[in-house]
Amino acid sequence: MTRREEFTRWMLKHSNRSKNTIDKYAAAVVTISKELTKYSNTTIDIYSINDSMSIDSIKQIYLKIDVLREKDERGNRMYTSALEWYKKYLKEAEFISNIAKEQPSEYSVKHIKKLKGEFKIKDGMKYWNRDRSIVDKIIYIKNNECEYDNTHRYFISKATNKNYVEGHHLIQMQFQDMFEYSLDVESNIVSVCLVCHKILHLGRLEDKIKIIEKLYNLREHELKSSGLDIRLDELIELYK
């Protein structure tokens, strides 16, 4: 299967665009490659590019060429839109590839002890840095489902075209000083729907406890493996 065919199939699955529009986007990528080769005097084959960040540079070059920028504007930005969708395709391909390298046989989390990261002080409060890629990995591994109740499905994310969920630090980052090791680890991050997430942050304690108990039971041993030894009653206390 060619890269163009892979891109087309990916868009059919992950976008809400019509088949006709998707075919136009796939063809537009070829057209952009030819036109950039013509006007920039550099041979460019976008379908041979594997780095998603390179697409931003290509887009900048494209928009600096007056005749191409005007053509894109007349076409309701179809060409730059095609580049944006191709970038999204490459980003997901990169993410899956990275997970496969880490876990060649199966996608699973790593339960490791990790040193505390850096933090910054703002308005007298300490804010610990977080690694967004860890959240993305957990959500991917958990198949975009709420770990408290996998029937919780409120809407489809525009960005992923999958069930919308959010990552939550079971032991919240504000309590990092209480622990020797980092809280920003896979063992401490859970995938939850937006309603469960709001309850954990803003809900009544009695409503929080039901969710905390189940998530704790799912993560207890993994937390210990990451040097985060905490009892259920101690965890609940942190949510009061």
Side-chain angles (χ1 to χ4, degrees):
M1 184 183 297
T2 66
R3 176 63 67 80
R4 177 175 175 173
E5 290 171 337
E6 289 178 356
F7 176 49
T8 300
R9 179 175 293 186
W10 179 86
M11 282 207 67
L12 286 169
K13 181 178 180 181
H14 294 89
S15 77
N16 58 357
R17 301 299 192 273
S18 68
K19 179 63 166 59
N20 182 53
T21 298
I22 290 171
D23 288 339
K24 287 181 178 178
Y25 281 173
V29 174
V30 175
T31 301
I32 294 169
S33 297
K34 292 179 178 178
E35 291 180 331
L36 284 177
T37 298
K38 175 182 178 181
Y39 289 102
S40 66
N41 297 317
T42 302
T43 300
I44 297 176
D45 178 8
I46 298 174
Y47 275 132
S48 69
I49 293 173
N50 297 313
D51 178 14
S52 62
M53 299 306 295
S54 297
I55 303 301
D56 289 330
S57 298
I58 289 174
K59 183 178 177 181
Q60 289 177 7
I61 295 171
Y62 182 88
L63 291 175
K64 286 180 180 178
I65 301 173
D66 292 342
V67 64
L68 299 183
R69 184 181 65 255
E70 291 168 3
K71 178 181 178 180
D72 187 48
E73 290 174 353
R74 289 195 305 271
N76 293 318
R77 307 192 189 281
M78 181 186 75
Y79 296 96
T80 48
S81 294
L83 287 176
E84 286 299 317
W85 276 106
Y86 189 64
K87 179 182 175 181
K88 291 179 182 179
Y89 158 76
L90 287 180
K91 286 185 72 173
E92 179 163 314
E94 289 168 356
F95 180 66
I96 294 173
S97 176
N98 288 336
I99 292 180
K101 288 176 183 177
E102 294 174 2
Q103 304 290 341
S105 60
E106 61 177 334
Y107 298 153
S108 59
V109 295
K110 294 179 179 179
H111 310 308
I112 59 173
K113 294 179 180 178
K114 176 182 172 183
L115 296 178
K116 296 179 183 179
E118 298 179 347
F119 62 87
K120 59 184 177 181
I121 303 294
K122 183 178 180 181
D123 298 328
M125 298 289 291
K126 184 182 288 187
Y127 294 89
W128 294 86
N129 290 346
R130 309 177 185 200
D131 185 349
R132 175 66 202 187
S133 68
I134 301 177
V135 172
D136 291 340
K137 181 175 181 180
I138 293 300
I139 289 175
Y140 178 84
I141 290 170
K142 299 304 177 181
N143 198 31
N144 289 74
E145 292 183 345
C146 176
E147 291 190 66
Y148 173 67
D149 186 339
N150 61 13
T151 66
H152 287 180
R153 295 178 175 274
Y154 295 100
F155 68 92
I156 300 300
S157 166
K158 179 181 179 181
T160 65
N161 205 39
K162 297 177 182 178
N163 181 49
Y164 180 81
V165 290
E166 299 174 338
H168 174 71
H169 290 78
L170 190 55
I171 306 173
Q172 298 175 82
M173 291 297 295
Q174 68 195 75
F175 301 111
Q176 178 64 82
D177 282 329
M178 297 173 56
F179 296 85
E180 179 181 0
Y181 295 101
S182 175
L183 297 179
D184 195 34
V185 290
E186 296 161 358
S187 306
N188 188 43
I189 295 175
V190 291
S191 171
V192 289
C193 69
L194 75 166
V195 174
C196 287
H197 202 186
K198 290 297 184 184
I199 292 173
L200 288 170
H201 283 287
L202 305 172
R204 300 178 303 172
L205 182 60
E206 55 263 41
D207 294 323
K208 293 181 181 180
I209 289 175
K210 294 183 294 183
I211 300 173
I212 294 168
E213 286 181 342
K214 180 169 183 178
L215 297 178
Y216 177 81
N217 289 333
L218 291 174
R219 289 290 199 276
E220 180 181 5
H221 298 297
E222 287 82 354
L223 288 170
K224 289 181 180 178
S225 297
S226 296
L228 306 175
D229 197 354
I230 186 171
R231 300 192 311 269
L232 175 59
D233 62 304
E234 293 174 328
L235 180 60
I236 292 173
E237 189 68 25
L238 298 182
Y239 279 83
K240 290 183 177 179

Coordinates of all heavy atoms in Angstrom, one line a residue, residues 26-57:
A26 N -5.9 14.1 -0.7 CA -4.8 13.2 -1.0 C -4.1 13.6 -2.3 O -2.9 13.5 -2.4 CB -5.3 11.7 -1.2
A27 N -4.9 14.0 -3.3 CA -4.3 14.5 -4.6 C -3.6 15.8 -4.4 O -2.6 16.1 -5.0 CB -5.4 14.6 -5.6
A28 N -4.1 16.7 -3.4 CA -3.5 18.0 -3.2 C -2.1 17.8 -2.7 O -1.2 18.7 -3.0 CB -4.4 18.8 -2.2
V29 N -1.8 16.8 -1.9 CA -0.5 16.6 -1.4 C 0.5 16.4 -2.5 O 1.6 16.9 -2.5 CB -0.5 15.4 -0.4 CG1 1.0 15.1 0.0 CG2 -1.3 15.7 0.9
V30 N 0.0 15.6 -3.5 CA 0.9 15.3 -4.7 C 1.1 16.6 -5.5 O 2.2 17.0 -5.9 CB 0.2 14.3 -5.6 CG1 1.0 14.1 -6.9 CG2 0.1 13.0 -4.9
T31 N 0.0 17.4 -5.6 CA 0.1 18.7 -6.4 C 1.1 19.7 -5.7 O 1.9 20.3 -6.3 CB -1.3 19.3 -6.5 OG1 -2.2 18.5 -7.2 CG2 -1.2 20.7 -7.2
I32 N 1.0 19.7 -4.4 CA 1.9 20.6 -3.6 C 3.3 20.2 -3.8 O 4.2 21.1 -4.0 CB 1.5 20.6 -2.1 CG1 0.1 21.2 -1.9 CG2 2.6 21.4 -1.3 CD1 -0.4 21.0 -0.5
S33 N 3.6 18.9 -3.8 CA 5.0 18.4 -4.0 C 5.5 18.9 -5.4 O 6.6 19.4 -5.5 CB 5.0 16.9 -3.9 OG 4.6 16.4 -2.6
K34 N 4.7 18.7 -6.4 CA 5.1 19.1 -7.7 C 5.3 20.6 -7.9 O 6.3 21.1 -8.5 CB 4.0 18.7 -8.7 CG 3.9 17.2 -8.9 CD 2.9 16.8 -9.9 CE 2.8 15.3 -10.1 NZ 1.7 14.9 -11.0
E35 N 4.4 21.4 -7.3 CA 4.5 22.9 -7.4 C 5.6 23.4 -6.6 O 6.3 24.4 -7.0 CB 3.2 23.5 -6.9 CG 2.0 23.2 -7.9 CD 0.7 23.8 -7.5 OE1 0.5 24.0 -6.3 OE2 -0.1 24.1 -8.4
L36 N 5.9 22.9 -5.4 CA 7.1 23.3 -4.7 C 8.4 23.0 -5.4 O 9.3 23.7 -5.3 CB 7.0 22.7 -3.3 CG 6.0 23.3 -2.3 CD1 6.0 22.5 -1.0 CD2 6.3 24.8 -2.0
T37 N 8.4 21.8 -6.0 CA 9.6 21.4 -6.8 C 9.8 22.4 -7.9 O 10.9 22.8 -8.2 CB 9.4 20.0 -7.3 OG1 9.3 19.1 -6.3 CG2 10.6 19.6 -8.2
K38 N 8.7 22.9 -8.5 CA 8.8 23.8 -9.6 C 9.2 25.2 -9.2 O 10.1 25.8 -9.8 CB 7.4 23.9 -10.3 CG 7.3 24.9 -11.4 CD 5.9 24.9 -12.0 CE 5.8 26.0 -13.1 NZ 4.5 26.1 -13.7
Y39 N 8.6 25.7 -8.1 CA 8.8 27.1 -7.7 C 9.9 27.3 -6.8 O 10.4 28.4 -6.6 CB 7.5 27.7 -7.2 CG 6.4 27.9 -8.2 CD1 5.4 27.0 -8.3 CD2 6.5 29.0 -9.0 CE1 4.4 27.2 -9.2 CE2 5.5 29.2 -10.0 CZ 4.4 28.3 -10.1 OH 3.4 28.5 -11.0
S40 N 10.4 26.3 -6.1 CA 11.4 26.4 -5.1 C 12.8 25.9 -5.6 O 13.8 25.9 -4.8 CB 11.1 25.8 -3.7 OG 11.0 24.4 -3.9
N41 N 12.7 25.2 -6.7 CA 13.9 24.6 -7.3 C 14.5 23.6 -6.4 O 15.7 23.4 -6.4 CB 15.0 25.7 -7.6 CG 14.5 26.7 -8.7 OD1 13.9 26.3 -9.7 ND2 14.7 28.0 -8.4
T42 N 13.7 22.9 -5.6 CA 14.1 21.9 -4.7 C 13.2 20.7 -4.9 O 11.9 20.9 -4.8 CB 14.2 22.3 -3.3 OG1 15.0 23.4 -3.1 CG2 14.7 21.2 -2.4
T43 N 13.7 19.5 -5.1 CA 12.8 18.4 -5.3 C 12.2 18.0 -4.0 O 12.9 17.7 -3.0 CB 13.6 17.2 -5.8 OG1 14.2 17.5 -7.1 CG2 12.7 16.0 -6.0
I44 N 10.9 18.0 -3.9 CA 10.1 17.7 -2.7 C 9.1 16.6 -2.9 O 8.3 16.8 -3.9 CB 9.5 19.0 -2.1 CG1 10.5 20.0 -1.7 CG2 8.6 18.6 -0.9 CD1 9.9 21.3 -1.2
D45 N 9.1 15.6 -2.2 CA 8.0 14.6 -2.3 C 7.5 14.4 -0.8 O 8.0 13.7 0.0 CB 8.6 13.2 -2.7 CG 7.5 12.1 -2.8 OD1 6.4 12.4 -2.6 OD2 7.9 10.9 -3.0
I46 N 6.4 15.1 -0.6 CA 5.8 15.1 0.7 C 5.4 13.7 1.2 O 5.5 13.4 2.4 CB 4.6 16.1 0.8 CG1 5.0 17.5 0.4 CG2 3.9 16.1 2.1 CD1 3.9 18.5 0.2
Y47 N 5.0 12.9 0.3 CA 4.6 11.5 0.8 C 5.8 10.7 1.2 O 5.6 9.6 1.7 CB 3.8 10.8 -0.3 CG 2.3 11.2 -0.3 CD1 1.7 11.5 -1.5 CD2 1.6 11.1 0.8 CE1 0.3 11.8 -1.5 CE2 0.2 11.4 0.9 CZ -0.4 11.8 -0.3 OH -1.8 12.1 -0.3
S48 N 7.0 11.2 1.0 CA 8.1 10.4 1.5 C 8.6 10.9 2.8 O 9.6 10.4 3.4 CB 9.3 10.5 0.5 OG 9.8 11.8 0.4
I49 N 8.0 12.0 3.3 CA 8.4 12.6 4.6 C 7.7 11.8 5.8 O 6.5 11.5 5.7 CB 7.9 14.1 4.7 CG1 8.8 14.9 3.6 CG2 8.1 14.6 6.1 CD1 8.3 16.3 3.5
N50 N 8.5 11.6 6.8 CA 8.0 10.8 8.0 C 7.9 11.7 9.2 O 7.3 11.3 10.2 CB 8.9 9.6 8.3 CG 8.9 8.6 7.2 OD1 7.9 8.2 6.6 ND2 10.1 8.2 6.7
D51 N 8.6 12.9 9.2 CA 8.6 13.7 10.4 C 7.5 14.8 10.3 O 7.4 15.6 9.4 CB 9.9 14.4 10.4 CG 10.1 15.4 11.6 OD1 9.2 15.4 12.5 OD2 11.0 16.2 11.6
S52 N 6.5 14.7 11.2 CA 5.4 15.6 11.2 C 5.8 17.0 11.3 O 5.1 17.9 10.7 CB 4.4 15.2 12.3 OG 5.0 15.4 13.6
M53 N 6.8 17.3 12.0 CA 7.2 18.7 12.2 C 7.7 19.4 10.9 O 7.7 20.6 10.8 CB 8.3 18.8 13.3 CG 7.9 18.3 14.7 SD 6.4 19.1 15.3 CE 6.9 20.8 15.5
S54 N 8.2 18.5 10.0 CA 8.6 19.1 8.7 C 7.5 19.7 7.9 O 7.7 20.5 7.0 CB 9.3 17.9 7.9 OG 10.4 17.4 8.6
I55 N 6.3 19.2 8.2 CA 5.2 19.8 7.4 C 4.9 21.2 7.7 O 4.5 22.0 6.8 CB 3.9 19.0 7.8 CG1 4.1 17.5 7.5 CG2 2.7 19.5 7.0 CD1 4.5 17.1 6.1
D56 N 5.2 21.7 8.9 CA 5.1 23.1 9.2 C 6.1 24.0 8.3 O 5.7 25.0 7.8 CB 5.4 23.4 10.7 CG 4.3 22.9 11.6 OD1 3.2 22.8 11.2 OD2 4.6 22.5 12.7
S57 N 7.3 23.5 8.2 CA 8.3 24.2 7.3 C 7.8 24.2 5.9 O 8.0 25.2 5.2 CB 9.6 23.5 7.4 OG 10.1 23.5 8.8

